[in-house]
Amino acid sequence: MPALHTLTIRLEIERNGTAAFDGSTSVGRMARGLDELIDWLGRDNLFPTGRSADGHGIVPPDEFTLQAGDLVRITIDGIGTLTNPVVQGPRAG
């Protein structure tokens, strides 16, 4: 694996087959180190099969909102791509 500070991380959000958001940055620009991220993530969460958190700082504009059916991809060079669909949960109340 390449040195962490040389890697690029990319966030893509696809909506109805087209790019709704696309941004990237260097992993070296992450606000927190990996040890700190892992420590915070594990404080209140159990991850028996592994975990992922990056603190990458790629953020869509304030007016952007995820919608059911969106597809979110986070790619890190040399590591791979995590892809998650957005689903509508049950409404409270």
Side-chain angles (χ1 to χ4, degrees), residues 5-79:
H5 69 278
T6 67
L7 301 178
T8 298
I9 184 167
R10 180 175 182 180
L11 169 64
E12 302 170 275
I13 302 171
E14 180 182 311
R15 182 173 292 156
N16 300 320
T18 61
F21 178 81
D22 190 344
S24 63
T25 190
S26 166
V27 172
R29 296 192 57 175
M30 289 175 19
R32 292 175 167 62
L34 294 178
D35 290 340
E36 185 179 0
L37 288 172
I38 291 167
D39 179 54
W40 276 101
L41 181 65
R43 288 181 184 206
D44 291 318
N45 300 286
L46 299 176
F47 296 91
T49 60
R51 57 187 166 197
S52 173
D54 53 41
H56 53 68
I58 306 168
V59 181
D62 287 344
E63 63 274 3
F64 185 87
T65 302
L66 289 170
Q67 297 178 6
D70 287 354
L71 195 59
V72 179
R73 288 186 198 92
I74 299 174
T75 302
I76 301 177
D77 296 341
I79 296 176

